[in-house]
Amino acid sequence: MSETNLKDMSQLVSLAKRRGFIFQSSEIYGGLSSCWDYGPYGIELKNNLKQKWWKAMTFRSDVVGVDASIFMHPTVWKASGHVDGFNDPMVDCKNCKSRFREDKIDTTAPCTNCGAKDSFTEPRDFNLMFSTQMGPVEDSSSKVYLRPETAQGIFTNFLNVQTTMRKKLPFGIAQIGKAFRNEITPGNFIFRTREFEQMEMQYFIKPGTQVDSMEEWKEIRWNWHLSNGLRPENLRWKDHGDDLAHYADAAFDIEYKFAHGWDEMEGIHSRTDFDLKQHQEHSGKNLMYTDAQDNNKKYLPYVMETSVGCDRCLLAIMSDAFRIENEGDKENERVVMKFHPSLAPIKVAVLPLVKKLDEPATKLFKDLQMEFKAEYDLAGSIGKRYRRQDEIGTPFCVTFDFDSLKIMP
Ligand code: ATP
């Protein structure tokens, strides 16, 4: 039996649609660019991934969770630097009017869309935040933003969480939630979309301990991705070196070898005290931590951040799991999704050999369904039914035959 990996994103897009993982948003209206809907198997997979992250990050005594709102006080985004600085450089092709992120293309080469030479405009800054109006009156004071990252809902709750939970440094706050960015060039399926989910954790530490903390979190996060079954040869580190965001003093990305090439999946950022300092200044609220273990010294904690896109991580997991067995052999070619069992949308399928066994097999299925996401399939040959489950990555299939009757309670 031969086995081939994913070669082209279109193979995955087609499987995802055909088997109810991911559909295009508003498809019956022709779709909405770069927006995707998770179908029945997709949402199971996504929920499993989120739960696994939540468990890994918060089932420890030094990390707690929050769920902050998407809308926040507009000054939050002024303080965080997003209003003035959350820009990507944008260029237009003067010939075909296509838009590109200047830092993602070679502007000295012909336009990748129409082939025109020397056709790009000078780069302009484009702010990636979506804004809308809150309340019935439309004026500048009612302008609010859809959060472009979940992190700020954690920083603004730092004091609430620290005092109510009586937390001592180091401790972390974790959150899973939607974020929105008006990306100039979304694409590559769910890799870059304008609405996506982030799984972020901010770990508050004593200033000066950031190098050790970075090492610790790098190891934890790398191992988490391996625990999801990703193949190590498809993962690598990227050190940002001196090329850092305004808030960071060090940053590393975990990159995955996607079908479109190596690209960022998760960022681990040493954010210093930038955010707390900014919020302290803009809110006028004292956010200092009193260190009882160090002569009641008062200081703003430093922050180590781990930030992974749920959808982007899911794309890596689906890409990694994708295999074609016996490619080119018409009779025997089939897609198998080799998900890690902890992530598989369906854990077990019950397949009665013949219709006559429907009743006892249904009883077994109902028992299993109390504990596991299970499926029951009576339609078609056993071989076909196995293939259906292989395509959605079900780790266990139970063929119910006449011998099974003997071991039924
Ligand atoms: P990029 O350079 O790809 O635009 P970024 O460095 O701006 O990403 P961060 O702000 O560090 O990304 O966001 C943290 C994580 O959130 C990323 O590693 C990625 O997994 C996810 N993410 C960011 N933007 C998007 C998007 N438009 N669609 C899906 N996931 C995203």
Side-chain angles (χ1 to χ4, degrees), residues 119-365:
S119 65
F120 293 113
T121 58
E122 285 299 305
R124 284 163 294 149
D125 274 344
F126 176 76
N127 194 291
L128 300 185
M129 278 201 295
F130 282 101
S131 64
T132 187
Q133 304 284 330
M134 183 168 263
V137 186
E138 278 197 28
D139 61 24
S140 59
S141 66
S142 62
K143 184 174 175 178
V144 288
Y145 297 99
L146 274 73
R147 65 178 178 201
E149 62 176 28
T150 54
Q152 298 305 324
I154 289 180
F155 293 126
T156 52
N157 276 305
F158 164 71
L159 206 57
N160 282 336
V161 173
Q162 193 260 319
T163 50
T164 55
M165 305 306 287
R166 293 178 290 115
K167 284 288 176 202
K168 307 242 177 312
L169 294 193
F171 77 93
I173 306 178
Q175 176 169 219
I176 300 178
K178 289 264 183 177
F180 303 82
R181 295 181 187 180
N182 199 3
E183 299 278 2
I184 297 167
T185 41
N188 289 320
F189 197 23
I190 52 171
F191 178 83
R192 188 181 304 286
T193 50
R194 295 191 170 114
E195 172 182 347
F196 55 98
E197 241 172 323
Q198 286 188 316
M199 307 191 284
E200 293 198 304
M201 194 269 322
Q202 270 69 37
Y203 200 67
F204 298 91
I205 56 174
K206 193 171 177 174
T209 61
Q210 62 269 37
V211 173
D212 287 347
S213 185
M214 172 64 91
E215 283 314 305
E216 189 187 331
W217 283 105
K218 272 174 71 183
E219 193 183 332
I220 293 173
R221 297 306 304 147
W222 180 268
N223 288 337
W224 185 75
H225 289 291
L226 292 181
S227 79
N228 292 334
L230 292 184
R231 286 172 274 181
E233 64 267 29
N234 290 336
L235 291 175
R236 72 175 186 194
W237 284 110
K238 179 186 164 185
D239 181 355
H240 281 243
D242 294 331
D243 183 19
L244 295 167
H246 59 281
Y247 53 75
D249 72 355
F252 290 84
D253 292 342
I254 298 177
E255 293 193 332
Y256 179 78
K257 197 176 181 185
F258 290 98
H260 65 270
W262 286 100
D263 219 330
E264 170 178 344
M265 177 166 61
E266 166 152 6
I268 300 167
H269 311 126
S270 174
R271 289 183 81 126
T272 68
D273 59 0
F274 174 85
D275 302 87
L276 289 180
K277 201 189 260 169
Q278 288 291 104
H279 288 307
Q280 177 165 273
E281 201 178 302
H282 282 76
S283 67
K285 187 110 182 154
N286 181 1
L287 300 179
M288 294 276 185
Y289 173 77
T290 306
D291 194 339
Q293 278 128 335
D294 189 2
N295 300 317
N296 286 334
K297 246 193 223 158
K298 290 185 192 305
Y299 55 82
L300 285 174
Y302 269 33
V303 170
M304 196 56 56
E305 164 180 85
T306 73
S307 174
V308 59
C310 178
D311 315 79
R312 213 177 261 192
C313 185
L314 207 83
L315 180 62
I317 283 162
M318 291 182 79
S319 306
D320 218 83
F322 185 95
R323 305 282 200 295
I324 297 182
E325 286 182 1
N326 306 312
E327 194 173 15
D329 172 354
K330 274 212 167 104
E331 296 259 296
N332 298 308
E333 182 177 304
R334 58 174 165 175
V335 173
V336 181
M337 292 299 271
K338 297 201 165 173
F339 289 127
H340 190 276
S342 62
L343 295 174
I346 302 296
K347 306 295 184 204
V348 55
V350 177
L351 316 172
L353 194 62
V354 289
K355 279 221 168 66
K356 224 174 151 183
L357 293 165
D358 186 20
E359 203 184 305
T362 301
K363 185 178 176 309
L364 172 69
F365 165 66

